[in-house]
Amino acid sequence: MNDLSPLRAVLGARVPALETGAAGQRRGCPLSELRDRLRRAGLRPTRQRLSLGWLLFGKGDRHLTAEMLYDEAMRAKVPVSLATVYNTLHQFTEAGLLRQLALDGSKAYFDTNPSEHHHFFLEEEGQVLDMPDCGITVDSLPQAPEGMEIAGVEVIVRLRRRTGRA
């Protein structure tokens, strides 16, 4: 019996491959840690949340849309609707487990690394990349309206391929 059989029971499907580190040790979010993580965030660890959480967090830091996660769930034979995927992503975001990025007017991206950091957005590919920590500073922020405070500043650098010589 391998150590992933509890996940198969919860997911009711095949378990996605886990990333491994340089020394070959397994990285990712084992089921018990995921349950605890959801509980600490104030979320009940339902079968669907565990299934989607495993797909989200079991592959390291990444950026994806609801449609991308739904496609992964369908390939893994996780029985969820697209509406459930959207609801779960928004619940995880409200609980601080994900960060929602508004990069493209037609879809929202979700970042499994909720810490403050900046992004590149490859417009043609619709791909989001974490920006290396290069000491970006934003000077001269506007005064927040009365009764409000600035909660954070996010820099998104949009990239596209050059179409000729500059």
Side-chain angles (χ1 to χ4, degrees):
M1 185 154 147
N2 70 35
D3 62 340
L4 298 179
S5 23
L7 280 172
R8 283 189 179 84
V10 169
L11 295 175
R14 67 183 174 89
V15 176
L18 297 175
E19 291 185 354
T20 56
Q25 75 264 25
R26 190 174 73 192
R27 292 187 324 176
C29 196
L31 184 59
S32 61
E33 289 180 27
L34 180 56
R35 273 194 187 109
D36 292 344
R37 187 174 184 183
L38 292 176
R39 285 185 182 119
R40 282 192 307 272
L43 296 171
R44 195 167 53 91
T46 64
R47 190 190 66 161
Q48 289 179 323
R49 285 182 184 145
L50 287 168
S51 299
L52 293 173
W54 181 261
L55 291 171
L56 277 167
F57 303 116
K59 296 180 181 179
D61 291 340
R62 61 199 192 117
H63 312 90
L64 65 167
T65 65
E67 291 78 10
M68 293 163 67
L69 181 58
Y70 177 75
D71 289 345
E72 284 185 23
M74 292 301 95
R75 284 192 306 274
K77 301 192 185 331
V78 174
V80 293
S81 67
L82 183 57
T84 297
V85 171
Y86 271 103
N87 290 337
T88 302
L89 287 170
H90 289 293
Q91 291 164 355
F92 284 10
T93 300
E94 288 174 20
L97 299 173
L98 295 174
R99 203 168 142 201
Q100 185 172 349
L101 307 171
L103 304 171
D104 181 351
S106 63
K107 59 185 131 188
Y109 288 79
F110 294 86
D111 190 342
T112 59
N113 175 2
S115 70
E116 286 198 27
H117 60 283
H118 307 295
H119 296 93
F120 288 117
F121 179 60
L122 306 169
E123 291 181 331
E124 287 109 5
E125 293 88 359
Q127 184 179 4
V128 182
L129 303 171
D130 286 338
M131 190 181 294
D133 186 14
C134 56
I136 289 179
T137 58
V138 179
D139 295 330
S140 304
L141 290 174
Q143 185 74 21
E146 189 170 329
M148 305 295 282
E149 66 181 2
I150 295 173
V153 176
E154 186 172 316
V155 174
I156 298 169
V157 177
R158 296 174 177 277
L159 302 174
R160 75 182 93 161
R161 301 211 184 279
R162 290 187 185 146
T163 59
R165 295 208 159 180

